[in-house]
Amino acid sequence: MTRDEAADLQDAVGDALTQRREFFRTAGVHREDGAYEVARRGANSAGNSKVFESFEVLRRLFERLPDEFTADDVGRTGITGSRRHMLVRHFAEHPAFDCGISRRNPLTAEKATDDGTDETTTRDEGEVISAD
């Protein structure tokens, strides 16, 4: 293999290991080092993101949250500032997490019930909103 071919292969492997998925208000990045970053969509500063050791660490955080949770509940895990709200939105937007936004003020997400349904019924621009 030539040096140029090796460089091309290295670039291709790096691209395959790094995957960014954008949602309505947030984005998730699977990084080369195995970490998972939650960021505000379109933002480019560290103040608008939270890096987890892996996606599994984020999943465990979600599992520890109550069935209905707010940014304050996320904050009890040590996450501070606007990142708490960003994570509530990311949980609601990412299909791996079975929940939706049930109230906007205060921002509240609700996990799906055990029977696979959830009480939030209407979608508006990527958010699930209570039918009340």
Side-chain angles (χ1 to χ4, degrees):
M1 176 179 300
T2 69
R3 187 173 200 61
D4 288 339
E5 290 172 335
D8 290 343
L9 179 60
Q10 184 178 22
D11 289 342
V13 168
D15 290 344
L17 292 174
T18 302
Q19 177 189 13
R20 180 179 178 89
R21 186 168 181 191
E22 292 193 349
F23 302 99
F24 181 63
R25 291 195 171 133
T26 66
V29 181
H30 289 274
R31 296 173 14 169
E32 284 184 55
D33 61 1
Y36 185 76
E37 178 181 7
V38 177
R40 290 197 192 291
R41 185 172 178 221
N44 56 6
S45 74
N48 292 303
S49 69
K50 173 66 180 157
V51 178
F52 295 88
E53 216 174 279
S54 67
F55 188 78
E56 189 55 37
V57 171
L58 180 63
R59 183 179 305 282
R60 285 194 305 268
L61 168 63
F62 176 75
E63 290 170 358
R64 288 192 314 262
L65 291 169
D67 289 342
E68 183 177 78
F69 60 93
T70 65
D72 286 340
D73 295 312
V74 173
R76 289 187 186 105
T77 66
I79 297 167
T80 60
S82 63
R83 291 179 188 95
R84 300 170 307 141
H85 294 88
M86 177 185 64
L87 285 171
V88 172
R89 290 195 184 282
H90 191 69
F91 288 135
E93 293 175 350
H94 197 293
F97 303 103
D98 203 5
C99 76
I101 300 295
S102 58
R103 284 193 308 271
R104 289 187 184 187
N105 194 9
L107 183 61
T108 305
E110 188 171 338
K111 294 180 181 179
T113 59
D114 290 338
D115 63 4
T117 62
D118 91 42
E119 297 180 20
T120 54
T121 58
T122 308
R123 286 204 173 264
D124 176 30
E125 299 183 315
E127 289 184 354
V128 180
I129 300 170
S130 176
D132 295 336

